[in-house]
């Protein structure tokens, strides 16, 4: 989808309502911010959510230029996130098979047949049901086996809705203190060029306790990670930009909170990035279980919104550097 087509799909009425709320807080004209949104879109290829997420209404054009907007990311990922390999990552059955060393949990899909699904359920009191294709924690559901009234009907629904079921991650106790009702994950962005990998950005996502998923877009909060020290750094920030020194439900101070198994986590994602370096940028969703870290999924061409919000700066210069490295490597092959 081109940027113009993407822009035409924007909900401008809702955007204007959001600007009116900002106007009440800042005293800035909602009408002028609306015009500024359009100007920013033309110059920086920013979307409506970019304008809000990064508070462009408070930033100069020089500052906005540093941000990897939705339009910039679309172009960048044409180079760095080879679409040819999308099913390698986005199809969860493929992902489990391709990255079994790192996912570390059993799964079964409707395609394995009724008997395999029945066998899996009989040996797991609780498990997770999720769409085979889909990102962002949407429609991920924790299932208790005893609540299934009819296995055949359950299986047929798996088939109808294109879902798989997999083992439940039992979260590390210390990490779970941040929110024991959700699987709190780390989003770690790696680059891998010519078999050489490294971590670019890392943030933590702490659930709101409403669902098993921690997703930033579903009520959770994010916190920046100090990758050198393996600790959370700064404040917790939600999708609306609200900040707090503490987690919502458990009221634990986030700044300085130690991440268990951090050395193992770094080693794991850097190794996983080398499995298919035809895709140069991957956003890994990492859970911390009682037995150590594991990978939930890998996102080819991950969105940079949560990273830029939590880092409180634009990462376009970082990505431009990666872009030059990719081009140089491809020319040298």
């Amino acid at each position: 989808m081109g940027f113009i087509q993407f822009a035409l799909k924007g909900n401008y009425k809702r955007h204007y309502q959001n600007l009116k709320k900002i106007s009440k807080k800042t005293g800035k004209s909602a009408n002028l911010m609306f015009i500024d949104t359009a100007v920013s879109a033309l110059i920086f290829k920013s979307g409506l959510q970019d304008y809000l997420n990064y508070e462009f209404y408070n930033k100069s054009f020089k500052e906005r230029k540093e941000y990897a907007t939705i339009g910039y990311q679309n172009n960048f990922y044409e180079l760095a996130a080879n679409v040819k390999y999308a099913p390698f990552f986005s199809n969860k059955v493929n992902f489990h098979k391709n990255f079994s060393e790192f996912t570390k949990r059993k799964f079964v899909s409707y395609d394995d047949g009724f008997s395999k699904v029945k066998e899996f359920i009989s040996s797991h009191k609780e498990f997770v049901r999720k769409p085979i294709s889909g990102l962002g924690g949407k429609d991920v559901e924790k299932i208790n086996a005893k609540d299934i009234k009819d296995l055949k009907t359950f299986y047929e629904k798996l088939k109808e809705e294109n879902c798989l079921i997999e083992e439940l991650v039992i979260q590390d106790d210390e990490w779970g203190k941040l929110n024991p009702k959700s699987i709190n994950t780390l989003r770690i962005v790696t680059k891998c060029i010519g078999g050489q990998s490294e971590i670019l950005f890392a943030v933590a996502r702490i659930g709101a306790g409403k669902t098993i998923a921690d997703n930033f877009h579903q009520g959770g909060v994010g916190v920046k990670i100090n990758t050198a020290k393996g600790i959370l750094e700064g404040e917790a920030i939600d999708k609306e930009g609200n900040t707090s020194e503490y987690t919502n439900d458990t009221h634990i101070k986030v700044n300085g909170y130690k991440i268990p198994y951090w050395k193992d986590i770094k080693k794991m994602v850097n190794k996983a990035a080398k499995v298919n370096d035809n895709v140069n940028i991957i956003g890994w969703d990492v859970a911390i279980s009682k037995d150590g870290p594991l990978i939930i999924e890998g996102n080819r061409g991950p969105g940079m919104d949560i990273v830029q919000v939590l880092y409180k700066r634009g990462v376009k210069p970082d990505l431009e550097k990666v872009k030059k490295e990719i081009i140089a490597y491809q020319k040298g092959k």
Side-chain angles (χ1 to χ4, degrees):
M1 182 189 297
F3 179 71
I4 297 299
Q5 289 86 348
F6 177 83
L8 290 174
K9 290 180 176 290
N11 189 331
Y12 295 97
K13 183 177 180 180
R14 184 174 65 188
H15 182 65
Y16 186 72
Q17 293 303 315
N18 286 327
L19 294 179
K20 285 172 70 175
K21 292 177 184 177
I22 293 168
S23 178
K24 289 181 180 179
K25 293 179 182 179
T26 65
K28 296 177 184 289
S29 165
N31 291 335
L32 290 179
M33 284 190 287
F34 193 81
I35 294 169
D36 188 42
T37 300
V39 172
S40 192
L42 289 170
I43 298 175
F44 305 109
K45 295 186 177 180
S46 56
L48 305 183
Q49 204 58 49
D50 288 332
Y51 192 85
L52 300 174
N53 284 345
Y54 313 137
E55 299 182 357
F56 274 5
Y57 48 86
N58 281 332
K59 289 182 170 62
S60 67
F61 277 18
K62 183 179 179 180
E63 290 172 311
R64 297 181 201 187
K65 189 178 179 181
E66 300 288 297
Y67 280 82
T69 61
I70 188 66
Y72 172 83
Q73 288 182 63
N74 286 342
N75 291 331
F76 174 76
Y77 287 132
E78 286 181 13
L79 173 70
N82 197 327
V83 70
K84 176 182 175 182
Y85 296 96
F88 193 93
F89 292 90
S90 60
N91 181 295
K92 290 183 175 62
V93 172
N94 291 348
F95 188 81
H96 266 294
K97 292 176 179 178
N98 295 331
F99 295 92
S100 59
E101 177 184 351
F102 313 103
T103 57
K104 301 177 184 178
R105 58 199 188 280
K106 295 177 182 178
F107 77 99
V108 63
S109 78
Y110 69 85
D111 208 34
D112 293 308
F114 175 70
S115 61
K116 289 289 185 183
V117 171
K118 181 180 179 181
E119 181 183 333
F120 180 94
I121 294 173
S122 68
S123 60
H124 294 83
K125 292 181 180 180
E126 293 181 309
F127 53 88
V128 175
R129 176 187 182 275
K130 60 175 63 172
I132 290 174
S133 298
L135 299 170
K138 186 178 180 182
D139 298 323
V140 175
E141 184 181 7
K142 181 179 175 182
I143 303 286
N144 194 313
K146 69 179 182 181
D147 293 333
I148 300 174
K149 305 303 180 186
D150 185 280
L151 283 174
K152 198 69 178 179
T153 301
F154 180 84
Y155 170 75
E156 290 299 329
K157 197 167 183 181
L158 283 182
K159 187 175 182 179
E160 179 186 337
E161 298 180 355
N162 193 34
C163 289
L164 58 76
I165 53 179
E166 64 182 30
E167 285 185 311
L168 184 69
V169 174
I170 307 302
Q171 192 162 235
D172 174 82
D173 287 341
E174 196 62 29
W175 186 241
K177 286 179 181 178
L178 294 170
N179 195 315
K181 298 176 184 177
S182 303
I183 300 299
N184 309 306
T185 63
L186 313 180
R187 165 56 66 88
I188 303 178
V189 180
T190 59
K191 74 166 184 178
C192 189
I193 303 171
Q196 300 297 312
S197 61
E198 67 176 86
I199 294 173
L200 289 177
F201 315 109
V203 299
R205 300 180 299 192
I206 303 163
K210 297 175 183 177
T211 66
I212 190 173
D214 64 355
N215 199 276
F216 186 61
H217 300 276
Q218 296 182 30
V221 297
V223 189
K224 181 184 175 184
I225 292 173
N226 182 315
T227 56
K229 297 180 179 179
I231 59 173
L232 302 185
E233 183 175 79
E235 297 177 307
I237 303 177
D238 68 15
K239 187 69 171 59
E240 304 304 317
N242 301 308
T243 62
S244 175
E245 293 183 28
Y246 304 92
T247 55
N248 289 339
D249 286 355
T250 53
H251 308 292
I252 293 173
K253 188 173 183 177
V254 294
N255 188 46
Y257 198 88
K258 186 177 180 181
I259 301 169
Y261 301 103
W262 180 244
K263 288 183 180 179
D264 294 333
I265 291 168
K266 290 196 294 183
K267 183 178 179 181
M268 179 181 69
V269 295
N270 277 314
K271 187 176 182 182
K274 297 176 185 178
V275 170
N276 185 351
D277 67 352
N278 292 295
V279 177
N280 303 115
I281 300 285
I282 299 293
W284 305 100
D285 291 341
V286 175
I288 306 176
S289 81
K290 63 181 182 62
D291 298 315
L294 57 84
I295 292 176
I296 299 293
E297 65 183 28
N299 299 268
R300 181 192 65 86
M304 291 291 162
D305 55 343
I306 187 171
V307 170
Q308 294 182 120
V309 167
L310 295 175
Y311 276 54
K312 297 183 179 180
R313 68 174 180 86
V315 300
K316 183 178 175 182
D318 306 70
L319 300 184
E320 281 293 292
K321 183 180 177 182
V322 173
K323 183 178 178 180
K324 290 177 182 178
E325 290 175 9
I326 295 171
I327 293 171
Y329 174 75
Q330 291 178 346
K331 285 183 178 177
K333 288 175 71 175

